[in-house]
Amino acid sequence: MQSSMAAEGALRVAEASQDGFTARPGSAACVLPERLLTAPDLRGSSSAAVLASLCAAASAVFHRYTGASRVRLRICGSDTEQGVELETEISDDPTWSAFRDAVQAQIEAARPVSRARQGILIELAGDGWTADSLNLRVERGTAEYRVTASGAAGILDAEGLAGWLAALRWLLEAACTAPDTPVARLPLLSPEDRDARIASGMGARRPYPRDATVPDLFAAQVRLRPDAAAIREGTRTWTYRELDAEADALARCLIGLGAKPGARVGLLLNRSGSAIVAHLAALKAGAAYVPLDPAHPDELLALQIADSDPAVVVSRRGLAAGRAHGGLWNCPTLWLDDPAPSPRRARRSRDRARRRILPTSCIPRARPDAPRA
């Protein structure tokens, strides 16, 4: 959860009540029109259906903020210690109506308190959630439901809680309009706030050298600040000068192994500084690079490699054990954990790899009637 989710629209929502309903210090409040919780497609208009809409929306926003696929809810009356616990599951990307109906079925089976004089209290927590629970206090008004958010200390401040409630409001607005939309696609921002966020992230427009390549732009940075830090990984730092030199050396090896303009270089590497060196080296060689994730199963990697047909694969022996040469690819491999080969040695390695994969049908055979030397 990030407090940056709060926007001006979120704060306006918290101040929208006309009956003097305000949030306590360290909390935020909003008013939800009754129509958002009593949509026409609800299975009945009982208090369980209304509570299901609110719990489903709160679980969906909690999931979108935290990534928790399982969200635990505790529902009780604000003036009693009794309550019931529910768990929602969002990992299979259900539609809003299906998700809400599943929550309603749990609520109807559990029969949580629904007539408490001081309203309903909903506590939310999720997988991997170590902070205090997020608490929603819900009170019925004349034609609206008043919601106060608190808790999540150290994660969300009052402004962040206001943003969370604004997301709850806009998700319900979209769900009422299109109940068959997958939960993951329901917006958390108003159209105005979304446009403002996009505009604020674009920055000032500046002319871009469209004819320049990435190696050209990188070379300009090397000239401008050769000794500035370009990459930091743990305790190691590459300056622009060092990154340029390593990428040049690796590019020469790639060229010796068969990389050339228009060719592709497969990069089976974890995210690291050396992976950035390999990306830049492939571009310096005039080739395109194909990122290959070592965590992917062999079947997926085989499809990616067959489709991209790389001239060279760059990897580390620990990542590609059993996969090279007869495994997932038959092209030359440049091992970053081996001593760097010279371009001449790289060309010999390329020729050996090509001989290894030469089909036996292409090997000339001696004719029975051919004269022997």
Side-chain angles (χ1 to χ4, degrees):
M1 291 187 181
Q2 298 293 334
S3 61
S4 61
M5 287 295 294
E8 290 299 322
L11 297 179
R12 288 197 296 271
V13 171
E15 299 165 358
S17 175
Q18 301 297 320
D19 60 0
F21 178 67
T22 56
R24 298 184 299 274
S27 64
C30 77
V31 173
L32 299 178
E34 189 175 30
R35 62 177 176 78
L36 297 182
L37 302 176
T38 56
D41 67 317
L42 276 170
R43 293 191 296 109
S45 57
S46 64
S47 59
V50 172
L51 185 57
S53 291
L54 185 57
C55 288
S59 298
V61 176
F62 193 94
H63 162 70
R64 297 275 291 277
Y65 263 63
T66 66
S69 59
R70 289 186 175 88
V71 181
R72 298 186 299 277
L73 301 94
R74 180 175 176 270
I75 308 172
C76 60
S78 298
D79 58 353
T80 178
E81 295 300 325
Q82 298 176 351
V84 298
E85 293 187 359
L86 310 175
E87 185 176 275
T88 61
E89 173 68 50
I90 318 180
S91 60
D92 57 350
D93 195 20
T95 64
W96 164 254
S97 57
F99 179 58
R100 183 204 52 214
D101 290 349
V103 173
Q104 182 174 342
Q106 287 195 63
I107 290 175
E108 290 173 341
R111 297 179 181 275
V113 60
S114 59
R115 295 182 180 179
R117 291 186 299 275
Q118 300 301 321
I120 296 293
L121 179 65
I122 304 173
E123 299 178 357
L124 296 101
D127 293 343
W129 180 250
T130 58
D132 297 337
S133 61
L134 179 64
N135 304 320
L136 302 178
R137 181 187 173 202
V138 186
E139 297 173 289
R140 175 69 182 269
T142 304
E144 75 281 340
Y145 288 85
R146 300 172 293 188
V147 183
T148 305
S150 61
I155 304 296
L156 289 177
D157 55 15
E159 185 180 359
L161 289 169
W164 198 96
L165 290 175
L168 181 72
R169 164 69 182 267
W170 291 113
L171 183 140
L172 282 167
E173 290 275 6
C176 286
T177 304
D180 292 329
T181 302
V183 171
R185 297 184 185 178
L186 292 172
L188 301 185
L189 294 171
S190 69
E192 296 79 12
D193 287 338
R194 180 179 180 276
D195 292 343
R197 297 269 182 113
I198 294 174
S200 66
M202 292 178 64
R205 292 182 176 273
R206 293 179 294 178
Y208 180 80
R210 295 185 178 276
D211 294 333
T213 64
V214 171
D216 292 338
L217 297 173
F218 178 76
Q221 293 301 313
V222 174
R223 291 190 297 269
L224 287 173
R225 41 180 182 167
D227 297 317
I231 305 173
R232 287 191 177 91
E233 180 186 8
T235 58
R236 184 177 179 186
T237 300
W238 283 262
T239 65
Y240 279 92
R241 190 198 311 274
E242 292 168 340
L243 176 56
D244 188 50
E246 287 195 27
D248 280 345
L250 190 59
R252 288 192 289 270
C253 292
L254 290 174
I255 292 171
L257 287 170
K260 59 184 179 181
R264 288 159 296 281
V265 174
L267 303 181
L268 185 69
L269 298 167
N270 289 324
R271 294 183 178 181
S272 60
S274 57
I276 297 176
V277 175
H279 286 116
L280 187 57
L283 297 176
K284 281 175 172 279
Y289 64 82
V290 180
L292 303 169
D293 191 338
H296 284 169
D298 285 357
E299 293 79 3
L300 177 56
L301 287 174
L303 288 173
Q304 293 172 326
I305 292 170
D307 186 58
S308 59
D309 188 24
V312 187
V313 171
V314 180
S315 188
R316 293 185 179 278
R317 293 188 180 276
L319 295 175
R323 288 172 163 172
H325 301 313
L328 297 184
W329 67 87
N330 291 313
C331 62
T333 307
L334 196 159
W335 302 108
L336 293 183
D337 37 11
D338 283 358
S342 66
R344 181 175 298 177
R345 287 176 54 199
R347 282 192 295 272
R348 289 201 298 267
S349 175
R350 175 194 64 192
D351 295 339
R352 286 195 299 270
R354 286 176 175 171
R355 286 197 295 271
R356 274 198 299 271
I357 64 174
L358 187 65
T360 55
S361 60
C362 298
I363 300 175
R365 301 175 183 272
R367 290 164 43 195
D369 57 346
R372 297 181 179 271

